[in-house]
Amino acid sequence: MNDEPTDLLAKGDPRLLLLPLARAAVPGCTAVHNARRLTGGANQETWALDAETEAGAVPLILRRARGGTLQRSTGIGLDAEALVIRTAYGNGVPAPEVLHVLSAGDGLGKGFVMRRMAGETIPRKILQGDAFSAIRPRLAGDCGKALAAIHAVPTDGLDRLERFTPLSRVEWLHAHYRATEQVSPVFAYAFAWLRAHAPDAPEKPALVHGDFRNGNLMIAPDGISAVLDWENAHLGDPAEDLGWFCVPSWRFGNLDKPAGGFGTREDLLAGYGAAGGCIPSPDRLRFWEAYGSLYWGVVCARSVDEFRGGADPSVERAMIARRASETELDLLRLIAPRR
Amino acid sequence: MHDRPDPCEILTAAAAFLRRELIPALPPELSFKTRILANALDLVARQTAADGAAADGTHARLAGLLGREGSEEELAADLARRIEEGAIALTDPALIDHLWTTTLAKLAVDQPNYASYRAETGAAGLQE
């Protein structure tokens, strides 16, 4: 991080430092209030702030690289993320409205400012909260509809996103796995299985969100207010998003409800198809669900290196590393069931 | 030979202190992190107990599958390599049996409350 001379936000008064940004995002902004760093974003810093105007406060979110310029190797970078969110928003996807992309003149590194949406992202609250009991029965269908909208976004202006076939996606993940130095015969089994079962690439690659799951969805009592965290967006097989959404790790204990822990696969696919999505075959879905468990397993395994290497020596990081075995069990259940 | 109580008993007492006395007195973010710490102590206690029990057979199964000797770590790496190279069929019943047995033993230490593990073992488990 030596390439960043000073991280102003770490040291100065955020209300003053964020004022020029807030003015760029919200014309007529007179002051910044309630600036605070939110927890929860592991890869990037997220700040909440309110831009005061004569017409009232405008709630904002600032996403920026942690410490200004540090960006994770797997993410697409904040500039590309802002572009993808803008494109998705402009094409009717429930996504936050990007109001300002940081430039060098802002002096705060890379990032962007977007409108802060009302709602809840914490899975347990969405799964159990009374405020969401009315929306829960149709939430899986609404997720299908949101995914269909994402996959229908024209990809013309998105050339800078990486493009994958199902097989090249597996090899991309394999490179990350090899970099972890972790040894897992179950992961090896899963890679061999995925290579043997990779479906054909779709004729035209679609915009794939890459992390559409319970936890990255802003849910209001009346429906999905925004799909968040676009840093894994790429071009590829849209069925990847459907499979990832159903991975057991994101069911939060409700194994019989593959769609985010709140709905069935059938509800999800019905909503997806009704909104114009092309419903993939069960084999293709199973491939991407297996890929999803393996992907999460590799992320967990990579935590060992972050923990031991000092990048994140927290107890939480150590415990995430020990969750790789959860994905090993889910992989066996899916692709190597006991007789 | 050390005096009693054994490490598991001490870790269990430490985790109980965190949950019953410390966590209720902490602000939300510290309370969240301390719950993770209590879970970590539980994990170490489970692993300590498992390591103290008789060998779980993983090493012997690996040697049998591969037809050679070596440390458990070496053999696991060799198995992973052979699986990826296709030298062992994905349908091999002995392979599948080994992967299941090894994985269930890992889960018993790592996350015995994980829903998929409870579904496989029929354990009632605890609701968080």
Side-chain angles (χ1 to χ4, degrees):
Chain A
M1 283 193 286
N2 293 333
D3 53 341
E4 181 71 359
T6 43
D7 183 14
L8 289 171
L9 264 183
K11 299 198 176 86
D13 182 345
R15 284 172 305 177
L16 296 177
L17 290 164
L18 294 173
L19 184 56
L21 280 189
R23 284 201 172 124
V26 181
C29 167
T30 54
V32 166
H33 291 305
N34 302 321
R36 62 210 182 269
R37 231 188 104 170
L38 304 178
T39 55
N43 299 353
Q44 296 169 356
E45 255 180 37
T46 305
W47 289 74
L49 54 144
D50 295 326
E52 289 301 331
T53 70
E54 282 188 3
V58 179
L60 300 176
I61 288 283
L62 164 67
R63 293 258 284 166
R64 68 192 284 263
R66 187 191 271 177
T69 56
L70 176 67
Q71 296 214 22
R72 289 298 181 92
S73 54
T74 57
I76 58 178
L78 286 158
D79 290 350
E81 189 178 342
L83 170 73
V84 173
I85 296 175
R86 272 192 166 150
T87 308
Y89 179 84
N91 283 280
V93 174
E97 184 184 1
V98 174
L99 298 173
H100 176 64
V101 178
L102 270 64
S103 62
D106 291 310
L108 291 170
K110 292 198 179 245
F112 55 89
V113 180
M114 57 192 182
R115 209 178 282 282
R116 189 166 85 239
M117 313 295 288
E120 181 60 71
T121 61
I122 298 172
R124 283 191 197 284
K125 292 190 179 171
I126 293 164
L127 291 173
Q128 293 163 11
D130 292 339
F132 304 100
S133 53
I135 178 77
R136 266 196 299 272
R138 64 175 176 88
L139 199 47
D142 284 2
C143 287
K145 188 179 164 194
L147 280 170
I150 292 170
H151 299 155
V153 168
T155 57
D156 308 345
L158 301 175
D159 296 339
R160 61 193 287 185
L161 295 186
E162 206 170 341
R163 181 185 278 225
F164 292 97
T165 66
L167 196 57
S168 74
R169 193 74 176 144
V170 173
E171 297 309 333
W172 172 85
L173 183 58
H174 192 255
H176 283 289
Y177 167 62
R178 294 300 296 267
T180 66
E181 295 180 26
Q182 300 301 306
V183 168
S184 163
V186 175
F187 289 174
Y189 188 99
F191 277 113
W193 188 92
L194 288 168
R195 285 175 178 135
H197 292 81
D200 293 337
E203 267 178 42
K204 194 178 174 306
L207 172 62
V208 177
H209 178 279
D211 200 5
F212 188 103
R213 62 171 174 86
N214 192 358
N216 282 337
L217 303 172
M218 182 69 82
I219 308 293
D222 60 346
I224 301 173
S225 55
V227 180
L228 307 176
D229 283 348
W230 293 74
E231 66 190 86
N232 294 306
H234 58 273
L235 303 180
D237 185 351
E240 178 179 342
D241 277 336
L242 292 160
W244 175 243
F245 185 63
C246 294
V247 160
S249 302
W250 313 128
R251 298 180 198 173
F252 301 94
N254 298 338
L255 279 187
D256 57 339
K257 297 205 171 99
F262 46 69
T264 64
R265 249 186 224 94
E266 290 73 23
D267 292 339
L268 170 73
L269 294 176
Y272 187 68
C278 175
I279 296 176
S281 71
D283 281 349
R284 189 178 286 267
L285 271 181
R286 186 155 166 259
F287 169 86
W288 284 116
E289 207 172 301
Y291 173 88
S293 275
L294 182 57
Y295 173 83
W296 180 236
V298 170
V299 171
C300 292
R302 194 173 58 189
S303 294
V304 184
D305 303 326
E306 289 168 25
F307 176 73
R308 287 189 163 172
D312 181 359
S314 67
V315 177
E316 185 175 5
R317 184 58 54 188
M319 290 299 278
I320 290 174
R322 292 296 290 262
R323 298 186 69 173
S325 52
E326 295 178 355
T327 68
E328 292 180 327
L329 180 59
D330 286 327
L331 283 164
L332 292 179
R333 281 163 61 87
L334 188 61
I335 63 177
R338 287 190 289 191
R339 265 149 271 255
Chain B
M1 189 69 188
H2 294 279
D3 293 336
R4 281 171 285 189
D6 67 34
C8 293
E9 292 171 306
I10 295 169
L11 287 168
T12 304
F17 164 74
L18 294 179
R19 291 202 174 92
R20 286 182 203 148
E21 296 182 48
L22 192 60
I23 290 172
L26 292 173
E29 191 177 343
L30 280 176
S31 153
F32 171 74
K33 289 182 175 173
T34 308
R35 263 202 303 277
I36 294 172
L37 175 59
N39 292 341
L41 295 185
D42 286 346
L43 185 153
V44 176
R46 288 190 299 269
Q47 184 164 343
T48 305
D51 288 348
D56 66 0
T58 303
H59 198 165
R61 276 198 318 278
L62 278 167
L65 267 173
L66 297 168
R68 77 174 186 91
E69 296 301 319
S71 75
E72 190 174 320
E73 206 170 356
E74 276 167 25
L75 294 180
D78 193 18
L79 179 63
R81 189 177 52 75
R82 289 203 207 178
I83 291 169
E84 282 209 54
E85 286 172 354
I88 298 180
L90 297 185
T91 51
D92 185 329
L95 171 66
I96 291 176
D97 176 62
H98 167 75
L99 296 178
W100 269 95
T101 308
T102 310
T103 300
L104 289 174
K106 285 170 76 172
L107 262 292
V109 167
D110 288 345
Q111 306 289 344
N113 204 29
Y114 187 56
S116 302
Y117 179 77
R118 295 208 312 266
E120 287 298 329
T121 57
L126 301 163
Q127 277 298 331
E128 268 181 53

mmCIF file of all heavy atoms in Angstrom, chain B residues 44-83:
data_model
loop_
_atom_site.group_PDB
_atom_site.id
_atom_site.type_symbol
_atom_site.label_atom_id
_atom_site.label_comp_id
_atom_site.label_asym_id
_atom_site.label_seq_id
_atom_site.Cartn_x
_atom_site.Cartn_y
_atom_site.Cartn_z
ATOM 1 N N VAL B 44 -11.483 -25.634 18.897
ATOM 2 C CA VAL B 44 -10.197 -26.157 19.384
ATOM 3 C C VAL B 44 -10.431 -27.277 20.405
ATOM 4 O O VAL B 44 -9.733 -28.291 20.400
ATOM 5 C CB VAL B 44 -9.345 -25.020 19.987
ATOM 6 C CG1 VAL B 44 -8.059 -25.580 20.576
ATOM 7 C CG2 VAL B 44 -9.023 -23.979 18.923
ATOM 8 N N ALA B 45 -11.448 -27.108 21.233
ATOM 9 C CA ALA B 45 -11.761 -28.159 22.218
ATOM 10 C C ALA B 45 -12.158 -29.451 21.504
ATOM 11 O O ALA B 45 -11.719 -30.540 21.881
ATOM 12 C CB ALA B 45 -12.883 -27.688 23.142
ATOM 13 N N ARG B 46 -12.986 -29.328 20.463
ATOM 14 C CA ARG B 46 -13.406 -30.531 19.736
ATOM 15 C C ARG B 46 -12.216 -31.198 19.053
ATOM 16 O O ARG B 46 -12.077 -32.422 19.051
ATOM 17 C CB ARG B 46 -14.476 -30.187 18.689
ATOM 18 C CG ARG B 46 -15.842 -29.856 19.265
ATOM 19 C CD ARG B 46 -16.906 -29.764 18.171
ATOM 20 N NE ARG B 46 -16.656 -28.728 17.189
ATOM 21 C CZ ARG B 46 -17.114 -27.475 17.284
ATOM 22 N NH1 ARG B 46 -17.854 -27.108 18.316
ATOM 23 N NH2 ARG B 46 -16.846 -26.588 16.341
ATOM 24 N N GLN B 47 -11.331 -30.366 18.475
ATOM 25 C CA GLN B 47 -10.176 -30.956 17.784
ATOM 26 C C GLN B 47 -9.222 -31.604 18.783
ATOM 27 O O GLN B 47 -8.656 -32.664 18.514
ATOM 28 C CB GLN B 47 -9.440 -29.884 16.958
ATOM 29 C CG GLN B 47 -8.288 -30.483 16.154
ATOM 30 C CD GLN B 47 -7.808 -29.552 15.057
ATOM 31 O OE1 GLN B 47 -8.501 -28.617 14.680
ATOM 32 N NE2 GLN B 47 -6.622 -29.809 14.537
ATOM 33 N N THR B 48 -9.046 -30.958 19.932
ATOM 34 C CA THR B 48 -8.177 -31.525 20.965
ATOM 35 C C THR B 48 -8.714 -32.883 21.411
ATOM 36 O O THR B 48 -7.957 -33.849 21.551
ATOM 37 C CB THR B 48 -8.100 -30.571 22.170
ATOM 38 O OG1 THR B 48 -7.675 -29.288 21.703
ATOM 39 C CG2 THR B 48 -7.102 -31.062 23.195
ATOM 40 N N ALA B 49 -10.017 -32.968 21.585
ATOM 41 C CA ALA B 49 -10.622 -34.233 21.998
ATOM 42 C C ALA B 49 -10.467 -35.286 20.898
ATOM 43 O O ALA B 49 -10.142 -36.442 21.163
ATOM 44 C CB ALA B 49 -12.102 -34.018 22.324
ATOM 45 N N ALA B 50 -10.675 -34.867 19.628
ATOM 46 C CA ALA B 50 -10.574 -35.820 18.518
ATOM 47 C C ALA B 50 -9.137 -36.307 18.358
ATOM 48 O O ALA B 50 -8.891 -37.502 18.117
ATOM 49 C CB ALA B 50 -11.055 -35.169 17.226
ATOM 50 N N ASP B 51 -8.167 -35.388 18.506
ATOM 51 C CA ASP B 51 -6.761 -35.772 18.366
ATOM 52 C C ASP B 51 -6.342 -36.733 19.477
ATOM 53 O O ASP B 51 -5.468 -37.579 19.280
ATOM 54 C CB ASP B 51 -5.853 -34.530 18.396
ATOM 55 C CG ASP B 51 -5.965 -33.713 17.122
ATOM 56 O OD1 ASP B 51 -6.567 -34.235 16.148
ATOM 57 O OD2 ASP B 51 -5.477 -32.567 17.099
ATOM 58 N N GLY B 52 -6.967 -36.573 20.651
ATOM 59 C CA GLY B 52 -6.619 -37.433 21.776
ATOM 60 C C GLY B 52 -7.229 -38.819 21.663
ATOM 61 O O GLY B 52 -6.763 -39.759 22.287
ATOM 62 N N ALA B 53 -8.274 -38.925 20.850
ATOM 63 C CA ALA B 53 -8.923 -40.227 20.681
ATOM 64 C C ALA B 53 -8.064 -41.106 19.770
ATOM 65 O O ALA B 53 -7.067 -40.672 19.205
ATOM 66 C CB ALA B 53 -10.314 -40.042 20.094
ATOM 67 N N ALA B 54 -8.470 -42.361 19.608
ATOM 68 C CA ALA B 54 -7.700 -43.280 18.765
ATOM 69 C C ALA B 54 -7.645 -42.742 17.333
ATOM 70 O O ALA B 54 -8.515 -41.987 16.900
ATOM 71 C CB ALA B 54 -8.363 -44.650 18.789
ATOM 72 N N ALA B 55 -6.610 -43.120 16.579
ATOM 73 C CA ALA B 55 -6.455 -42.663 15.199
ATOM 74 C C ALA B 55 -7.730 -42.958 14.424
ATOM 75 O O ALA B 55 -8.364 -43.993 14.614
ATOM 76 C CB ALA B 55 -5.264 -43.375 14.556
ATOM 77 N N ASP B 56 -8.122 -42.005 13.541
ATOM 78 C CA ASP B 56 -9.427 -42.138 12.896
ATOM 79 C C ASP B 56 -9.379 -42.982 11.622
ATOM 80 O O ASP B 56 -10.382 -43.146 10.939
ATOM 81 C CB ASP B 56 -10.019 -40.758 12.605
ATOM 82 C CG ASP B 56 -9.208 -39.983 11.571
ATOM 83 O OD1 ASP B 56 -8.191 -40.512 11.090
ATOM 84 O OD2 ASP B 56 -9.602 -38.856 11.247
ATOM 85 N N GLY B 57 -8.208 -43.520 11.279
ATOM 86 C CA GLY B 57 -8.154 -44.426 10.130
ATOM 87 C C GLY B 57 -7.882 -43.737 8.802
ATOM 88 O O GLY B 57 -7.711 -44.409 7.789
ATOM 89 N N THR B 58 -7.838 -42.383 8.791
ATOM 90 C CA THR B 58 -7.609 -41.661 7.532
ATOM 91 C C THR B 58 -6.289 -42.087 6.887
ATOM 92 O O THR B 58 -6.234 -42.387 5.689
ATOM 93 C CB THR B 58 -7.571 -40.139 7.795
ATOM 94 O OG1 THR B 58 -8.786 -39.760 8.421
ATOM 95 C CG2 THR B 58 -7.404 -39.372 6.496
ATOM 96 N N HIS B 59 -5.247 -42.114 7.723
ATOM 97 C CA HIS B 59 -3.919 -42.433 7.215
ATOM 98 C C HIS B 59 -3.896 -43.824 6.577
ATOM 99 O O HIS B 59 -3.416 -44.015 5.466
ATOM 100 C CB HIS B 59 -2.902 -42.334 8.371
ATOM 101 C CG HIS B 59 -1.489 -42.205 7.918
ATOM 102 N ND1 HIS B 59 -0.478 -41.806 8.748
ATOM 103 C CD2 HIS B 59 -0.901 -42.428 6.718
ATOM 104 C CE1 HIS B 59 0.665 -41.782 8.088
ATOM 105 N NE2 HIS B 59 0.429 -42.163 6.852
ATOM 106 N N ALA B 60 -4.479 -44.805 7.281
ATOM 107 C CA ALA B 60 -4.492 -46.186 6.779
ATOM 108 C C ALA B 60 -5.316 -46.282 5.488
ATOM 109 O O ALA B 60 -4.930 -46.974 4.540
ATOM 110 C CB ALA B 60 -5.056 -47.120 7.848
ATOM 111 N N ARG B 61 -6.446 -45.571 5.429
ATOM 112 C CA ARG B 61 -7.274 -45.600 4.216
ATOM 113 C C ARG B 61 -6.519 -45.021 3.029
ATOM 114 O O ARG B 61 -6.573 -45.537 1.915
ATOM 115 C CB ARG B 61 -8.575 -44.824 4.428
ATOM 116 C CG ARG B 61 -9.693 -45.609 5.092
ATOM 117 C CD ARG B 61 -11.037 -44.921 4.855
ATOM 118 N NE ARG B 61 -10.967 -43.472 5.002
ATOM 119 C CZ ARG B 61 -11.012 -42.819 6.158
ATOM 120 N NH1 ARG B 61 -11.142 -43.493 7.280
ATOM 121 N NH2 ARG B 61 -10.936 -41.504 6.187
ATOM 122 N N LEU B 62 -5.810 -43.894 3.276
ATOM 123 C CA LEU B 62 -5.034 -43.268 2.200
ATOM 124 C C LEU B 62 -3.976 -44.232 1.674
ATOM 125 O O LEU B 62 -3.818 -44.401 0.455
ATOM 126 C CB LEU B 62 -4.365 -41.984 2.716
ATOM 127 C CG LEU B 62 -5.233 -40.733 2.753
ATOM 128 C CD1 LEU B 62 -4.542 -39.649 3.578
ATOM 129 C CD2 LEU B 62 -5.529 -40.228 1.349
ATOM 130 N N ALA B 63 -3.247 -44.868 2.598
ATOM 131 C CA ALA B 63 -2.198 -45.813 2.188
ATOM 132 C C ALA B 63 -2.804 -46.961 1.384
ATOM 133 O O ALA B 63 -2.248 -47.404 0.370
ATOM 134 C CB ALA B 63 -1.450 -46.326 3.413
ATOM 135 N N GLY B 64 -3.982 -47.430 1.817
ATOM 136 C CA GLY B 64 -4.652 -48.513 1.110
ATOM 137 C C GLY B 64 -5.092 -48.093 -0.290
ATOM 138 O O GLY B 64 -4.902 -48.827 -1.271
ATOM 139 N N LEU B 65 -5.665 -46.887 -0.392
ATOM 140 C CA LEU B 65 -6.137 -46.389 -1.693
ATOM 141 C C LEU B 65 -4.987 -46.234 -2.683
ATOM 142 O O LEU B 65 -5.119 -46.520 -3.870
ATOM 143 C CB LEU B 65 -6.785 -45.011 -1.513
ATOM 144 C CG LEU B 65 -8.288 -44.926 -1.294
ATOM 145 C CD1 LEU B 65 -8.669 -43.486 -0.975
ATOM 146 C CD2 LEU B 65 -9.042 -45.400 -2.530
ATOM 147 N N LEU B 66 -3.851 -45.737 -2.169
ATOM 148 C CA LEU B 66 -2.743 -45.388 -3.053
ATOM 149 C C LEU B 66 -1.736 -46.524 -3.191
ATOM 150 O O LEU B 66 -0.877 -46.486 -4.086
ATOM 151 C CB LEU B 66 -2.028 -44.131 -2.527
ATOM 152 C CG LEU B 66 -2.908 -42.874 -2.490
ATOM 153 C CD1 LEU B 66 -2.236 -41.769 -1.708
ATOM 154 C CD2 LEU B 66 -3.206 -42.409 -3.919
ATOM 155 N N GLY B 67 -1.802 -47.512 -2.292
ATOM 156 C CA GLY B 67 -0.853 -48.625 -2.352
ATOM 157 C C GLY B 67 0.568 -48.203 -2.048
ATOM 158 O O GLY B 67 1.527 -48.738 -2.606
ATOM 159 N N ARG B 68 0.712 -47.211 -1.196
ATOM 160 C CA ARG B 68 2.067 -46.819 -0.790
ATOM 161 C C ARG B 68 2.043 -46.156 0.585
ATOM 162 O O ARG B 68 0.979 -45.796 1.081
ATOM 163 C CB ARG B 68 2.707 -45.896 -1.822
ATOM 164 C CG ARG B 68 2.238 -44.449 -1.806
ATOM 165 C CD ARG B 68 3.092 -43.640 -2.803
ATOM 166 N NE ARG B 68 2.836 -42.206 -2.769
ATOM 167 C CZ ARG B 68 3.484 -41.334 -2.002
ATOM 168 N NH1 ARG B 68 4.407 -41.734 -1.160
ATOM 169 N NH2 ARG B 68 3.202 -40.041 -2.062
ATOM 170 N N GLU B 69 3.239 -46.007 1.149
ATOM 171 C CA GLU B 69 3.358 -45.388 2.465
ATOM 172 C C GLU B 69 3.781 -43.933 2.323
ATOM 173 O O GLU B 69 4.221 -43.497 1.267
ATOM 174 C CB GLU B 69 4.383 -46.144 3.319
ATOM 175 C CG GLU B 69 4.001 -47.590 3.634
ATOM 176 C CD GLU B 69 2.678 -47.695 4.383
ATOM 177 O OE1 GLU B 69 2.434 -46.865 5.278
ATOM 178 O OE2 GLU B 69 1.889 -48.612 4.067
ATOM 179 N N GLY B 70 3.659 -43.199 3.398
ATOM 180 C CA GLY B 70 4.074 -41.794 3.420
ATOM 181 C C GLY B 70 3.343 -41.102 4.546
ATOM 182 O O GLY B 70 2.504 -41.716 5.215
ATOM 183 N N SER B 71 3.678 -39.824 4.777
ATOM 184 C CA SER B 71 2.955 -39.077 5.804
ATOM 185 C C SER B 71 1.530 -38.845 5.301
ATOM 186 O O SER B 71 1.253 -38.892 4.101
ATOM 187 C CB SER B 71 3.644 -37.739 6.078
ATOM 188 O OG SER B 71 3.383 -36.838 5.011
ATOM 189 N N GLU B 72 0.631 -38.572 6.238
ATOM 190 C CA GLU B 72 -0.777 -38.369 5.860
ATOM 191 C C GLU B 72 -0.898 -37.198 4.877
ATOM 192 O O GLU B 72 -1.664 -37.257 3.906
ATOM 193 C CB GLU B 72 -1.610 -38.124 7.112
ATOM 194 C CG GLU B 72 -3.101 -38.133 6.842
ATOM 195 C CD GLU B 72 -3.939 -38.040 8.119
ATOM 196 O OE1 GLU B 72 -3.560 -38.683 9.115
ATOM 197 O OE2 GLU B 72 -4.947 -37.340 8.082
ATOM 198 N N GLU B 73 -0.115 -36.141 5.127
ATOM 199 C CA GLU B 73 -0.183 -34.955 4.268
ATOM 200 C C GLU B 73 0.295 -35.278 2.845
ATOM 201 O O GLU B 73 -0.335 -34.883 1.865
ATOM 202 C CB GLU B 73 0.675 -33.849 4.889
ATOM 203 C CG GLU B 73 0.222 -32.469 4.507
ATOM 204 C CD GLU B 73 0.920 -31.380 5.320
ATOM 205 O OE1 GLU B 73 1.705 -31.728 6.240
ATOM 206 O OE2 GLU B 73 0.690 -30.205 5.025
ATOM 207 N N GLU B 74 1.418 -36.012 2.765
ATOM 208 C CA GLU B 74 1.935 -36.424 1.448
ATOM 209 C C GLU B 74 0.918 -37.256 0.687
ATOM 210 O O GLU B 74 0.689 -37.061 -0.517
ATOM 211 C CB GLU B 74 3.183 -37.305 1.613
ATOM 212 C CG GLU B 74 4.497 -36.583 1.789
ATOM 213 C CD GLU B 74 5.589 -37.565 2.251
ATOM 214 O OE1 GLU B 74 5.477 -38.796 1.972
ATOM 215 O OE2 GLU B 74 6.519 -37.099 2.885
ATOM 216 N N LEU B 75 0.330 -38.202 1.403
ATOM 217 C CA LEU B 75 -0.600 -39.115 0.749
ATOM 218 C C LEU B 75 -1.853 -38.366 0.283
ATOM 219 O O LEU B 75 -2.374 -38.637 -0.803
ATOM 220 C CB LEU B 75 -0.970 -40.267 1.691
ATOM 221 C CG LEU B 75 0.177 -41.218 2.047
ATOM 222 C CD1 LEU B 75 -0.306 -42.311 2.986
ATOM 223 C CD2 LEU B 75 0.817 -41.837 0.804
ATOM 224 N N ALA B 76 -2.332 -37.416 1.103
ATOM 225 C CA ALA B 76 -3.515 -36.644 0.694
ATOM 226 C C ALA B 76 -3.207 -35.836 -0.571
ATOM 227 O O ALA B 76 -4.030 -35.752 -1.494
ATOM 228 C CB ALA B 76 -3.959 -35.722 1.831
ATOM 229 N N ALA B 77 -2.005 -35.239 -0.620
ATOM 230 C CA ALA B 77 -1.614 -34.471 -1.808
ATOM 231 C C ALA B 77 -1.516 -35.389 -3.030
ATOM 232 O O ALA B 77 -1.924 -35.022 -4.134
ATOM 233 C CB ALA B 77 -0.281 -33.766 -1.558
ATOM 234 N N ASP B 78 -0.977 -36.596 -2.811
ATOM 235 C CA ASP B 78 -0.856 -37.559 -3.907
ATOM 236 C C ASP B 78 -2.247 -37.977 -4.399
ATOM 237 O O ASP B 78 -2.493 -38.061 -5.611
ATOM 238 C CB ASP B 78 -0.070 -38.782 -3.411
ATOM 239 C CG ASP B 78 0.369 -39.690 -4.554
ATOM 240 O OD1 ASP B 78 0.367 -39.211 -5.716
ATOM 241 O OD2 ASP B 78 0.690 -40.857 -4.302
ATOM 242 N N LEU B 79 -3.160 -38.206 -3.459
ATOM 243 C CA LEU B 79 -4.517 -38.585 -3.845
ATOM 244 C C LEU B 79 -5.165 -37.465 -4.665
ATOM 245 O O LEU B 79 -5.775 -37.725 -5.717
ATOM 246 C CB LEU B 79 -5.365 -38.888 -2.599
ATOM 247 C CG LEU B 79 -6.821 -39.267 -2.888
ATOM 248 C CD1 LEU B 79 -6.889 -40.561 -3.696
ATOM 249 C CD2 LEU B 79 -7.621 -39.398 -1.592
ATOM 250 N N ALA B 80 -5.019 -36.227 -4.201
ATOM 251 C CA ALA B 80 -5.604 -35.093 -4.928
ATOM 252 C C ALA B 80 -5.049 -35.036 -6.349
ATOM 253 O O ALA B 80 -5.791 -34.836 -7.319
ATOM 254 C CB ALA B 80 -5.311 -33.788 -4.180
ATOM 255 N N ARG B 81 -3.732 -35.236 -6.474
ATOM 256 C CA ARG B 81 -3.095 -35.189 -7.791
ATOM 257 C C ARG B 81 -3.634 -36.305 -8.692
ATOM 258 O O ARG B 81 -3.989 -36.070 -9.850
ATOM 259 C CB ARG B 81 -1.583 -35.307 -7.626
ATOM 260 C CG ARG B 81 -0.766 -35.056 -8.879
ATOM 261 C CD ARG B 81 0.730 -35.118 -8.590
ATOM 262 N NE ARG B 81 1.138 -36.336 -7.899
ATOM 263 C CZ ARG B 81 1.235 -37.533 -8.488
ATOM 264 N NH1 ARG B 81 0.985 -37.666 -9.761
ATOM 265 N NH2 ARG B 81 1.600 -38.592 -7.777
ATOM 266 N N ARG B 82 -3.734 -37.511 -8.144
ATOM 267 C CA ARG B 82 -4.191 -38.649 -8.958
ATOM 268 C C ARG B 82 -5.650 -38.475 -9.383
ATOM 269 O O ARG B 82 -6.026 -38.867 -10.488
ATOM 270 C CB ARG B 82 -4.036 -39.960 -8.179
ATOM 271 C CG ARG B 82 -2.589 -40.364 -8.007
ATOM 272 C CD ARG B 82 -2.487 -41.863 -7.769
ATOM 273 N NE ARG B 82 -1.294 -42.189 -7.005
ATOM 274 C CZ ARG B 82 -0.996 -43.430 -6.627
ATOM 275 N NH1 ARG B 82 -1.807 -44.439 -6.913
ATOM 276 N NH2 ARG B 82 0.099 -43.669 -5.948
ATOM 277 N N ILE B 83 -6.458 -37.893 -8.497
ATOM 278 C CA ILE B 83 -7.864 -37.654 -8.867
ATOM 279 C C ILE B 83 -7.919 -36.689 -10.051
ATOM 280 O O ILE B 83 -8.624 -36.916 -11.034
ATOM 281 C CB ILE B 83 -8.653 -37.068 -7.671
ATOM 282 C CG1 ILE B 83 -8.809 -38.108 -6.571
ATOM 283 C CG2 ILE B 83 -10.028 -36.580 -8.126
ATOM 284 C CD1 ILE B 83 -9.329 -37.537 -5.254
#
